[in-house]
Amino acid sequence: MRTFEKSTKLNNVSYDIRGPVMDEANAMEAMGTRILKLNIGNPAPFRFEAPDEMIRDMIYNLRDTEGYSSSKGLFSARKAIMQYCQLKNIPNVDIDDIYTGNGVSELIAMAMQGLLNTGDEILVPSPDYPLWTASITLAGGTAVHYHCDEQAEWYPDIEDIKSKVTSRTKGIVVINPNNPTGALYPREVLQDIVDVARENELIIFADEIYDRLVMDGLKHTAISSLCPDLFCVNLNGLSKSHRVAGWRCGWMCLSGDKSKVRGYIEGLNMLSSMRLCSNVPGQSIIQTAMGGIQSADELLMPGGRIYEQREVIYNMLNDIPGVSVVKPKAAFYIFPKLDIEKFNIHDDEQFALDFLRKKKILVTHGRGFHWDQPDHFRIVYLPEKEQLEYACKELADFLSTYHQ
Ligand SMILES: Cc1ncc(COP(=O)(O)O)c(C=O)c1O
């Protein structure tokens, strides 16, 4: 009998945020169990609504967005993105250097498909947002993980980065603000990364989708603003800051010196044309979203929901014996550490499964983010304070008797 397997290209590809633990949660839900989901950074289900003006403008534009747009996107959208680049000092971005995408996700895949040959290496943070590693692998490349240091606010370990550069390294991925740690990198750390990239002629891939979700009065620095002489691929979008993840609205901007990347840009243009264009109704509200008042600001100040939810989750997690955590400065993720000796944990995926089965709460195990020890997990702190308080009490209760 003829059977059909997944392609061998997918053999080493994993995306565990939607992996086996989530499958188990779905099966439990199908049996009628209510699950508290702390696993996916999707603001809308947690009552984070898009600004009314964006809904209105999408309705206003719907009739005019039935057809394909030009493959890189609508002029009005790309102009607004270009102006945002100017405000962030992202250098040398013209209208043709901007590609809209069906979320940043599509553009990550495109950026890797257009560049990598078998065996080419890209430096990726550990922990990472796992789509990067998956896309590199699927494109035939090798993701080489550099360490981010929990003892140093989860900043990238520059010596580790240097030690992992080889003659096959083509680029470095910098996720800032970071998912899953919630870290925000200061200028000095970014400068050190730029220095390594310059010395080794690397392309910088800057995933800055959380750049408008920063707390504590801190400011985000676009890494490309520090290096007009280097070629950078900057990625951003509206999924998180404007709570419209379902509208699949992202963009990629090529900045800096493009003299050595003409061939790569030709590849990107081919791939962009081949997918015809990104979701045009989504593109039509980029101008609205990027102009005027930044809509997430009040959520991030004391009294705002994201800020207050971070305080609850951070304080309550740190009070649980055997759990410690670095305070996140941005986004809406927290990446706590478990005392694996105390709990005798060998397998963090099993821990997440056991917690799910016993307490009906879904978290993502740390190795899903290419963290090399079974001692972390990620919580998305989008649910309301009361639900987070409940989750922490249940976690404390679960851990008080847990041994693997
Ligand atoms: C760091 C990072 N990059 C990219 C994405 C993809 O976002 P989207 O495809 O919705 O634009 C996410 C989503 O969680 C993310 O956390």
Side-chain angles (χ1 to χ4, degrees), residues 3 43 123 136 180 254 272 295 335 338 371:
T3 60
L123 292 162
I136 292 162
L254 311 183
S272 175
S295 67
F335 200 55
L338 292 163
W371 183 245

Side-chain angles (χ1 to χ4, degrees), residues 135-168:
S135 301
I136 292 162
T137 313
L138 192 55
T142 305
V144 176
H145 292 102
Y146 64 84
H147 187 70
C148 295
D149 185 0
E150 188 167 23
Q151 306 306 316
E153 296 278 341
W154 282 116
Y155 298 155
D157 177 339
I158 305 297
E159 291 312 312
D160 193 50
I161 294 177
K162 286 185 189 160
S163 75
K164 289 187 172 151
V165 177
T166 73
S167 57
R168 306 224 57 171

